[in-house]
Amino acid sequence: MTGSTAVTFTADDYRARMERAARAAAESGLAGLLVAPGPDLVWLTGYTPPAVTERLTLLVLTAGQDPVLVVPALEAPDAHRAAGAAALTLRDWTDGKDPYAATAALLDSSGWFGISDNAWALHLLALQQALPGSSYASLTEALPMLRAVKDAAELDLMAAAGAAADATFEEIRNVPFAGRRESEVAADLDRLLRGHGHEQVDFTIVASGPNGANPHHEAGERVIARGDMIVLDFGGLRDGYGSDTSRTVHVGEPTDEERRVHDIVREAQEAGFRAVRPGAACQDVDRAARRVIADAGYGEYFIHRTGHGIGVTTHEPPYMIEGEERPLVPGMCFSVEPGIYLPGRFGVRIEDIVTVTEDGGRRLNTTTRELVIVE
């Protein structure tokens, strides 16, 4: 079992992130960014409030001004201990006072602001009432690439999360499958991920037999039998950064058709990976993988995008999908996960997390992509 990765972000790291975010906001025509508790706040400041409550906590970022974190007075001591606290000004408010008036004083009364996707409607509506001339856009809509490009330390954490997921697969392939419920194998995945350092497990898909034709099947009470194809898809957060990998295994010897479908998906996954390079469009990765499956006659059974970004959350921009013309940039991390899903019969998916390098791509998952036989 593995422990924590020795990477610690400093106040200077958080200061650089907040400055970069404020500049990006200004370049996009925004008057500033308003960041509520959630992954964006953690990434920008290192601060996670001790509890999610109705009390307003909000980071205010505007170009050319010091960052300000508005916090309830009773949580200010925790905010002062955050890794990025030295890079910002804390402004606390006490119960009985109006936090929206205090926040409004920091903002352009007629400004257009990016605001966290997960901000409470309660807070947004109160800010609009305090600043009737203001307007807002979701942070994902306004700055979708804010967290997309990882620095060297972040890439180390992503690689460690990927290695932990790989170690989990190497162990799960040796557990008994036949005669056990999907939910039991899913519990094994959860235990192994945590044992390999994950503090949070986001999903443990175990989709056996016909359940494999549902890409997001939740492990249930179906008893796995010999002859089943099984899609395993699992991941979560390790030291704050995401893992996500899929492998398809088979209980006993597969049929010729099952081997053929698995081989097609493996070739499609390889084609998607080979399409990764700086300057290529996100949709090029999707097109490369999808072409292999379509040419093999299974195009209608590949029913989802080829990939999604990953970082401090397990699903985030950019997305590898037709119509996404955004160019790939070194440091981006995303999944490449084509699949074929045959209703009522079985499914196959193979997934690696890939990061863009200066001259191509690098897989952060390295377990075999061949069809693994389990018992």
Side-chain angles (χ1 to χ4, degrees):
M1 297 296 181
T2 56
S4 177
T5 304
V7 175
T8 302
F9 296 112
T10 67
D12 286 341
D13 293 322
Y14 291 112
R15 180 180 291 107
R17 290 177 185 178
M18 288 188 281
E19 289 175 352
R20 176 157 61 106
R23 284 197 306 272
E27 290 167 0
S28 297
L30 295 166
L33 300 180
L34 307 176
V35 185
D40 291 313
L41 185 65
V42 175
W43 183 77
L44 287 164
T45 69
Y47 177 53
T48 302
V52 177
T53 73
E54 73 283 0
R55 292 183 174 93
L56 178 71
T57 296
L58 201 67
L59 174 67
V60 178
L61 294 179
T62 53
Q65 298 186 33
D66 290 338
V68 176
L69 182 62
V70 179
V71 293
L74 76 168
E75 295 173 4
D78 297 291
H80 276 290
R81 287 192 290 270
L88 48 79
T89 298
L90 266 67
R91 183 164 300 181
D92 61 24
W93 60 276
T94 57
D95 286 353
K97 301 294 184 181
D98 184 353
Y100 307 107
T103 304
L106 304 171
L107 306 178
D108 178 347
S109 61
S110 59
W112 177 46
F113 298 94
I115 189 165
S116 299
D117 296 12
N118 56 336
W120 285 24
L122 169 74
H123 301 319
L124 177 56
L125 293 171
L127 280 174
Q128 287 179 315
Q129 187 172 11
L131 296 171
S134 62
S135 57
Y136 303 85
S138 75
L139 208 51
T140 293
E141 176 188 344
L143 293 176
M145 295 296 104
L146 181 62
R147 304 193 315 255
V149 177
K150 278 64 176 177
D151 62 24
E154 290 181 294
L155 289 173
D156 285 344
L157 289 168
M158 291 291 301
D166 283 357
T168 294
F169 177 71
E170 294 296 356
E171 292 192 51
I172 201 69
R173 62 184 288 182
N174 293 314
V175 308
F177 280 79
R180 301 178 70 210
R181 299 183 189 278
E182 292 175 340
S183 58
E184 294 177 291
V185 178
D188 287 342
L189 284 169
D190 187 292
R191 172 179 55 81
L192 290 168
L193 284 168
R194 294 183 190 278
H196 286 290
H198 281 64
E199 69 273 7
Q200 177 178 314
V201 176
D202 288 346
F203 43 87
T204 52
I205 293 173
V206 180
S208 64
N211 289 340
N214 175 1
H216 282 174
H217 170 73
E218 292 199 13
E221 297 309 296
R222 184 181 186 275
V223 176
I224 298 168
R226 289 192 66 80
D228 279 350
M229 191 83 94
I230 309 171
V231 177
L232 303 174
D233 184 347
F234 49 93
L237 299 182
R238 183 184 187 278
D239 290 331
Y241 282 77
S243 70
D244 185 1
T245 189
S246 300
R247 292 294 186 263
T248 301
V249 301
H250 197 277
V251 186
E253 284 300 314
T255 66
D256 289 344
E257 182 190 19
E258 287 170 329
R259 281 196 180 279
R260 183 172 67 255
V261 171
H262 189 277
D263 284 345
I264 292 165
V265 173
R266 182 170 52 80
E267 291 169 12
Q269 207 272 345
E270 177 68 18
F273 170 69
R274 295 288 181 191
V276 175
R277 63 185 184 280
C282 291
Q283 68 180 5
D284 292 342
V285 178
D286 183 82
R287 287 175 175 178
R290 199 168 300 276
R291 186 178 303 115
V292 173
I293 292 174
D295 287 351
Y298 289 91
E300 66 182 294
Y301 302 110
F302 181 10
I303 56 177
H304 56 72
R305 64 197 175 202
T306 292
H308 58 81
I310 186 171
V312 294
T313 58
T314 48
H315 285 75
E316 61 188 41
Y319 299 102
M320 306 302 113
I321 189 170
E322 181 66 32
E324 178 52 85
E325 298 179 350
R326 195 179 309 277
L328 301 181
V329 176
M332 283 182 174
C333 296
F334 49 85
S335 65
V336 178
E337 52 177 306
I340 293 175
Y341 308 93
L342 302 178
R345 302 182 63 205
F346 65 89
V348 175
R349 181 164 65 257
I350 301 172
E351 173 185 15
D352 294 325
I353 299 302
V354 173
T355 184
V356 184
T357 64
E358 294 297 330
D359 58 1
R362 175 168 67 98
R363 285 186 167 104
L364 300 186
N365 297 107
T366 59
T367 55
T368 182
R369 284 168 287 279
E370 301 290 336
L371 183 57
V372 169
I373 307 302
V374 296
E375 295 300 326

